[in-house]
Amino acid sequence: EAGVAQSPRYKIIEKRQSVAFWCNPISGHATLYWYQQILGQGPKLLIQFQNNGVVDDSQLPKDRFSAERLKGVDSTLKIQPAKLEDSAVYLCASSTGPGRYGYTFGSGTRLTVV
Amino acid sequence: QQQVKQSPQSLIVQKGGISIINCAYENTAFDYFPWYQQFPGKGPALLIAIRPDVSEKKEGRFTISFNKSAKQFSLHIMDSQPGDSATYFCAATPGGGNKLTFGTGTQLKVEL
């Protein structure tokens, strides 16, 4: 089966600019996650969707980050305005549903804010 | 209470040796403990996982040892190979949930 697709692979922006990342999960996977991985750290969950509804966004900095999953398939994560500390790899993952622990991660988008 | 502490930060092992990575947790609600392997430029990939009702799980050269009373678990890589060189993350998640709490990662290098 095809994996989790993410784009772009790399993005460099200046602070205070906006940026958007796109994720296409594995076909049929109802649950979609966005994780932030800062260099040298483990991934941290930003938001979890079940179909097109938000299950957990407790660690999403809502003043600058937003995410949506239209039609329960693709998802977009946006940062506006970006800060230097947002430099990280943004990983998208999907699974077949709640309680299914077999996450599949995409290769991520590496964001550098200068 | 949500933290998962991982050590060592980096590890160098000779080919054929045993690599050991340790993790500790505090949240007793955690009931699923996976290990992920991440190569540069790639997302983490599930390697092996364990539930707290067993003390050990083995898959090929990879073994998880679990100590529920000490709230610790470890990954053992037997006969380590250069292709095992990667960053390894332990993780944990509570019952019924999907949110993974990751450790800080261990960068493993297997030398010839």
Side-chain angles (χ1 to χ4, degrees):
Chain A
E1 61 180 4
V4 175
Q6 290 189 247
S7 67
R9 286 300 312 275
Y10 306 93
K11 191 74 176 179
I12 301 174
I13 61 172
E14 296 183 350
K15 59 183 179 182
R16 292 187 290 274
Q17 286 187 325
S18 62
V19 64
F21 314 126
W22 174 82
C23 173
N24 181 235
I26 291 174
S27 178
H29 279 196
T31 310
L32 184 147
Y33 316 82
W34 283 101
Y35 278 80
Q36 179 192 57
Q37 186 175 20
I38 294 172
L39 185 64
Q41 298 182 20
K44 181 185 81 171
L45 179 70
L46 291 175
I47 189 167
Q48 176 185 344
F49 291 95
Q50 177 64 23
N51 295 311
N52 60 349
V54 175
V55 174
D56 184 349
D57 64 355
S58 57
Q59 297 190 92
L60 186 74
K62 298 180 185 65
D63 58 334
R64 297 183 302 106
F65 286 64
S66 64
E68 61 181 7
R69 189 183 185 196
L70 299 177
K71 301 180 181 179
V73 182
D74 293 6
S75 178
T76 302
L77 177 70
K78 297 179 181 177
I79 307 175
Q80 181 179 11
K83 293 185 175 181
L84 296 176
E85 58 261 37
D86 298 331
S87 294
V89 174
Y90 290 85
L91 294 162
C92 180
S94 69
S95 67
T96 52
R100 311 303 198 271
Y101 298 112
Y103 275 41
T104 300
F105 280 90
S107 294
T109 295
R110 180 176 296 277
L111 173 67
T112 302
V113 182
V114 298
Chain B
Q1 202 179 26
Q2 291 293 322
Q3 281 188 320
V4 177
K5 297 180 180 179
Q6 183 172 347
S7 64
Q9 186 175 354
S10 63
L11 182 61
I12 299 175
V13 173
Q14 296 299 308
K15 180 183 176 182
I18 302 173
S19 303
I20 301 174
I21 305 170
N22 301 299
C23 284
Y25 64 98
E26 295 188 359
N27 187 348
T28 55
F30 287 148
D31 76 341
Y32 180 78
F33 302 88
W35 285 89
Y36 282 81
Q37 180 187 55
Q38 186 175 31
F39 293 104
K42 300 292 185 182
L46 180 63
L47 190 61
I48 186 173
I50 196 168
R51 294 188 186 275
D53 53 345
V54 296
S55 60
E56 186 175 282
K57 183 174 182 179
K58 183 176 181 179
E59 289 184 2
R61 297 185 293 110
F62 301 92
T63 300
I64 300 178
S65 297
F66 189 86
N67 185 330
K68 188 174 182 178
S69 61
K71 291 186 283 187
Q72 295 175 348
F73 58 111
S74 60
L75 176 70
H76 296 233
I77 305 174
M78 312 299 288
D79 187 26
S80 298
Q81 300 297 312
D84 297 330
S85 297
T87 300
Y88 293 81
F89 292 95
C90 61
T93 186
N98 299 117
K99 176 182 175 179
L100 285 172
T101 298
F102 283 85
T104 50
T106 296
Q107 195 165 1
L108 171 66
K109 182 177 181 181
V110 181
E111 294 183 334
L112 294 170

